[in-house]
Amino acid sequence: MKNKEFKKILIIGHRNIGDACCDLVVVKPLRRKFKNSEIVFLTSPVSKDIVEGYKGLDRVIVFDKYGADKGIWGRLRLVFLLRRERFDLVVALSSTLMHRYIGARYQWSVRKYLGCLPQDKKMHIADIYIEFLRSFGVEAQKEHWDFDVKAENNFCDEFLRKAGVNEGERIAGILPYSGWPLKDWPVERWNDLADLLKSEYSLKVIAFGRVADDINGKEKLKHLSPSIISAVNKTTLKQALSLIKRCNLFIGVDSSLLHLASCMGVETVGLFGAT
């Protein structure tokens, strides 16, 4: 592929935010290699926000598995839509067979390259993607992700001002809640950790994440220490990224914001439980 040029490239990414975040590591190397190509990313509605506007991408196409693209007829509709796009190259990062049916002459599949599921390789998925691209002659190395959160900077400034965080003060972000309670650490321990971060390291502590707007969710929030600045249920995904970018440290359970913080180069500590 040394001298090959493609008019249109489709990247088939993952549905979940954390996985889609890791997928984006392939964008910059592909853009450097194929400067004049249109590069399009396929992902889910939930991950669309972090992918849209990402430097190096031209467009995002949404695969709504539980909505418009649900069932066999929904899948066929999407396949026909993608065939009409006439992609020259498909880069399949997720374990899907969709790339076989959309008419692209060149198909690069991570699953085919590995000969197994990525989780069986005992390597970080970003490192697998870098090796994968190199096998096709695309120069790639580790680098920070480039999320577009400029539009959210005003929100971030205002949020910190209202929370009493002055310019230059050090901030620790924490992620106490995930979508799966088995992953979570008891809230009381987060409160103790926040006290330690403040007393020993002079860090202001901001809690991130989302909880359900029901009695269980309200009970979770009720036990969070009032000394912790709460951004829980108060931000969009990109607003949360803008705030996390200002953090000096981020500590969280195994969930999307933890992986996003790590990708942005914030010093990160992950607490991994059931998974």
Side-chain angles (χ1 to χ4, degrees), residues 102-146:
I102 61 179
R105 182 176 178 185
Y106 295 93
Q107 303 170 14
W108 301 354
S109 165
V110 169
R111 178 72 182 274
K112 183 177 179 181
Y113 163 74
L114 292 175
C116 64
L117 292 171
Q119 55 264 37
D120 296 332
K121 282 292 287 183
K122 309 301 181 187
M123 289 173 62
H124 193 283
I125 191 64
D127 294 324
I128 290 175
Y129 290 160
I130 287 167
E131 285 192 3
F132 167 68
L133 290 178
R134 287 174 180 165
S135 74
F136 289 100
V138 178
E139 184 182 339
Q141 60 276 324
K142 286 188 176 179
E143 51 194 311
H144 290 319
W145 282 244
D146 198 357

Side-chain angles (χ1 to χ4, degrees), residues 7 20 39 46 119 142 185 195-196:
K7 185 177 179 182
I39 302 179
V46 72
Q119 55 264 37
K142 286 188 176 179
W185 206 33
D195 289 340
L196 180 67

Side-chain angles (χ1 to χ4, degrees), residues 3-230:
N3 298 312
K4 184 69 183 173
E5 271 295 337
F6 300 108
K7 185 177 179 182
K8 296 179 76 171
I9 299 171
L10 175 68
I11 301 169
I12 300 181
H14 288 83
R15 293 188 64 258
N16 296 329
I17 293 171
D19 295 324
C21 168
C22 292
D23 293 342
L24 291 170
V25 76
V26 307
V27 174
K28 284 185 181 179
L30 287 172
R31 174 54 68 202
R32 283 195 295 265
K33 177 72 173 176
F34 306 112
K35 294 181 176 62
N36 300 315
S37 300
E38 181 183 11
I39 302 179
V40 182
F41 197 99
L42 180 72
T43 190
S44 68
V46 72
S47 295
K48 180 185 175 186
D49 278 353
I50 63 159
V51 175
E52 255 184 346
Y54 191 82
K55 190 174 181 180
L57 286 177
D58 296 294
R59 279 192 294 136
V60 177
I61 295 176
V62 173
F63 172 21
D64 190 357
K65 184 177 180 180
Y66 301 108
D69 305 314
K70 183 178 180 180
I72 185 66
W73 295 113
R75 299 292 197 284
L76 286 172
R77 185 199 70 84
L78 178 64
V79 166
F80 287 137
L81 182 151
L82 295 174
R83 287 183 70 89
R84 286 199 298 270
E85 292 273 357
R86 299 186 180 277
F87 291 105
D88 307 294
L89 168 66
V90 175
V91 181
L93 303 180
S94 64
S95 294
T96 177
L97 297 178
M98 188 181 295
H99 61 283
R100 296 184 181 180
Y101 304 109
I102 61 179
R105 182 176 178 185
Y106 295 93
Q107 303 170 14
W108 301 354
S109 165
V110 169
R111 178 72 182 274
K112 183 177 179 181
Y113 163 74
L114 292 175
C116 64
L117 292 171
Q119 55 264 37
D120 296 332
K121 282 292 287 183
K122 309 301 181 187
M123 289 173 62
H124 193 283
I125 191 64
D127 294 324
I128 290 175
Y129 290 160
I130 287 167
E131 285 192 3
F132 167 68
L133 290 178
R134 287 174 180 165
S135 74
F136 289 100
V138 178
E139 184 182 339
Q141 60 276 324
K142 286 188 176 179
E143 51 194 311
H144 290 319
W145 282 244
D146 198 357
F147 297 105
D148 181 16
V149 293
K150 294 184 184 69
E152 282 70 32
N153 285 341
N154 288 338
F155 166 86
C156 182
D157 293 338
E158 184 66 8
F159 182 94
L160 294 175
R161 185 188 66 78
K162 287 182 178 179
V165 180
N166 299 317
E167 188 174 348
E169 283 193 289
R170 287 156 51 81
I171 304 170
I174 61 171
L175 180 62
Y177 311 113
S178 71
W180 187 10
L182 285 175
K183 293 181 179 181
D184 295 348
W185 206 33
V187 174
E188 294 75 18
R189 295 187 185 179
W190 286 108
N191 292 338
D192 292 340
L193 175 61
D195 289 340
L196 180 67
L197 292 170
K198 285 188 288 184
S199 62
E200 296 292 324
Y201 302 100
S202 302
L203 287 159
K204 293 283 183 76
V205 179
I206 302 176
F208 292 86
R210 302 197 73 80
V211 297
D213 187 21
D214 56 21
I215 190 166
N216 292 324
K218 288 173 182 174
E219 191 66 20
K220 285 182 178 181
L221 290 176
K222 180 180 171 184
H223 292 289
L224 194 66
S225 170
S227 65
I228 297 173
I229 301 165
S230 178

Side-chain angles (χ1 to χ4, degrees), residues 241-252:
L241 288 183
S242 181
L243 282 170
I244 291 170
K245 204 169 183 179
R246 306 282 183 96
C247 291
N248 303 92
L249 172 68
F250 193 88
I251 304 171

